[in-house]
Amino acid sequence: MQYQFFSFVVPAHNEELIIERTLRCLQDLEYPKDRYEVIIVENGSTDVTYEKAKRYESDNIQVYDHLPKGVSRARNFGLTKCSPEFDWCIFMDADVFIQKDFLLELNVHLYEHPAFGYGTTTVNLDNDTFVSTFWSRFNNFFYRLFKVLFTIHIVRRDLASRVLYDENLVSGEDIIYGRALAKYGKYFFMKTDKVRSSDRRFIKNGYVKMFFINLYHGIICFILPHRVLKKIDWEVIR
């Protein structure tokens, strides 16, 4: 079995408190260094995100600054910087921490299922309390059931070249992106314990409030037209 080439694209806006941990995880992956790359797109930060990320540049980690601000713009720009060798692009939030053997596991999974075109994985919150564990399980079940992308988007090269993120959206752009990809490829959900996400939103807002926020944004993405979605914002928490 060959090592497929993975390109991580990570937008980062005002992530000075967390970007170094994210990059250490990516830097330490147990996977051939010449078969994956990391593209950090600093996107209109007013803190030292760019300076901190630049310290980690290497042969397979590159850092760019890009304006105007917007997560969809940053992802689309990052895609243009991917190596022409890439087989899969992994669009990942800047507050996601992956364990060392994640790519090895993903590589096997995708080889065993060659029909897959795009998908995501289990994502658990970065603490092990009863409430956070329950929330993670519920969230993963929901996204798998409705075939939705969240937090980490894994897209085969041919699909990534056909579908871009809607740069007019700042909320629900991942759901809209997944719906567009569904026209061309088969969705997958890989069960894993190798992906963790920051719980900072839940610390600030609480689990009950976050449940209704996520439910609200999920519903409107399926029922409202694009012209209305463009006017809906997403609270930035750092």
Side-chain angles (χ1 to χ4, degrees):
M1 182 176 60
Q2 295 181 338
Y3 291 107
Q4 299 182 87
F5 193 108
F6 295 96
S7 294
F8 288 90
V9 173
V10 185
H13 173 72
N14 286 348
E15 297 286 6
E16 64 178 2
L17 299 179
I18 217 162
I19 192 63
E20 290 182 286
R21 181 182 173 188
T22 302
L23 279 166
R24 284 194 298 269
C25 291
L26 293 169
Q27 186 181 58
D28 294 340
L29 289 174
E30 293 176 348
Y31 200 77
K33 297 299 182 184
D34 62 347
R35 300 306 295 164
Y36 82 94
E37 65 180 352
V38 178
I39 298 165
I40 303 295
V41 183
E42 185 281 312
N43 187 222
S45 298
T46 56
D47 61 9
V48 294
T49 297
Y50 181 75
E51 290 79 3
K52 286 190 172 184
K54 287 292 280 187
R55 299 172 190 165
Y56 288 81
E57 280 200 320
S58 63
D59 290 342
N60 70 330
I61 298 178
Q62 298 298 318
V63 180
Y64 301 90
D65 56 342
H66 178 68
L67 289 172
K69 186 175 67 173
V71 65
S72 293
R73 294 188 181 93
R75 288 172 178 154
N76 289 339
F77 172 79
L79 181 63
T80 69
K81 299 300 180 181
C82 289
S83 165
E85 297 182 55
F86 88 90
D87 297 300
W88 293 84
C89 187
I90 302 175
F91 298 99
M92 193 179 84
D93 291 349
D95 62 345
V96 174
F97 320 118
I98 59 177
Q99 295 184 20
K100 293 182 179 181
D101 51 350
F102 169 73
L103 279 188
L104 292 172
E105 183 177 313
L106 179 61
N107 190 55
V108 171
H109 185 74
L110 294 175
Y111 259 115
E112 291 178 345
H113 303 88
F116 289 160
Y118 75 105
T120 188
T121 73
T122 306
V123 179
N124 295 313
L125 290 178
D126 191 37
N127 66 57
D128 295 312
T129 64
F130 173 81
V131 175
S132 64
T133 300
F134 176 81
W135 171 264
S136 296
R137 290 179 178 175
F138 171 80
N139 219 32
N140 288 312
F141 171 79
F142 176 86
Y143 285 115
R144 185 182 184 189
L145 178 65
F146 290 100
K147 298 183 178 181
V148 173
L149 294 179
F150 72 116
T151 306
I152 182 168
H153 313 163
I154 305 167
V155 187
R156 200 174 61 209
R157 177 177 176 170
D158 59 310
L159 272 66
S161 66
R162 298 189 70 167
V163 180
L164 296 177
Y165 290 89
D166 188 333
E167 297 184 357
N168 294 307
L169 299 178
V170 295
S171 174
E173 80 292 335
D174 45 2
I175 295 177
I176 300 300
Y177 181 62
R179 290 169 63 185
L181 289 170
K183 300 175 183 178
Y184 306 105
K186 183 178 180 181
Y187 174 88
F188 73 89
F189 187 102
M190 186 182 83
K191 292 184 178 180
T192 182
D193 60 355
K194 305 296 190 301
V195 182
R196 294 240 171 186
S197 178
S198 169
D199 60 350
R200 56 189 175 181
R201 287 186 172 276
F202 299 88
I203 292 174
K204 180 174 181 179
N205 290 329
Y207 286 87
V208 174
K209 182 177 180 180
M210 284 306 305
F211 170 80
F212 286 105
I213 289 174
N214 287 355
L215 181 64
Y216 165 74
H217 283 277
I219 291 174
I220 64 175
C221 285
F222 282 100
I223 65 175
L224 295 182
H226 261 57
R227 66 178 182 278
V228 178
L229 290 176
K230 293 176 183 178
K231 300 177 182 180
I232 297 175
D233 206 350
W234 177 256
E235 182 186 10
V236 176
I237 294 177
R238 298 293 184 263

